[in-house]
Amino acid sequence: MSGTATTAPRLRDFYEDPAVPVASGADRGRRQARMLARALGPMGAAGPATVLDVGCGDGTAAAIASAALPGHRFVGVDWSQGALRRAAGGMPYAVRGEVTGGGLPFASGVADAVLFSEVIEHLVDPDGALEEIRRVLRPGGHLLLSTPNLAAWYNRALLLAGVQPVFSEVSLRQIHGRPGTQVVGHLRLFTARALRELLTASGFAAVRLAGAPYHDVPRPLRPLDRAACRAPSLASILLAHARKV
């Protein structure tokens, strides 16, 4: 029990650091916003949709999505007070909550859509998080999730060469055995197949996957990284759109 008790505060302190990167780039946000716009469609007689940005960080994902979906209601949710202060400048509603522990501060079935951007890879219990997201979604509601791809095209080459894959980490203090210099606190990584199977097992259907590039890929390789998005299983970032059964 002592190990569990000390790990959680360390992780919380780590994620409270504003220097820790919270997103994989604006291109991912724009692609995800287009997926959400297609899912919700134009605002009709029912009025604005309610979109929860769970793990909103600095509010970047919601800001990009709200620009593509004017008139809809966006609510940012994060357990980090620092993140909420940063997000409050760009979104009208930002509340404290989390998908683990006490759960999200919303009644069941209140959300038309949930953005879950670059969060699931940081969680000890992704099953519990998806269960809580499913609870707050209305029947048929939309989940828009993004996460780094363990099987990105360059990670396949790195593993063949015996190098630790990009996005994976063995320490919260410094990088060991892989390219890059920033520690970002990833605990879980997914391939396209694993993500699809997890979402299906968690009560979501019609899972559609797309790809997005990663902003930190070296400049000479960025055209190849963008081209890899045509095959989501090879892309740097996995984008998933699923519906609550």
Side-chain angles (χ1 to χ4, degrees), residues 6 11 26 28 61 78 84-85 96 110 115 124 127 142 164 170 172 196 211 234:
T6 56
L11 281 172
R28 186 273 299 164
D78 209 294
L84 291 174
R85 284 192 294 271
R96 194 172 191 277
V110 299
L115 287 174
V124 174
D127 305 271
H142 304 274
Q164 186 83 9
V170 298
L172 287 178
R196 185 187 297 276
L234 296 174

Side-chain angles (χ1 to χ4, degrees), residues 12 16 76-81 84 94-98 105:
R12 287 182 179 271
E16 284 284 7
V77 188
D78 209 294
W79 61 260
S80 166
Q81 295 287 9
L84 291 174
V95 300
R96 194 172 191 277
E98 55 185 310

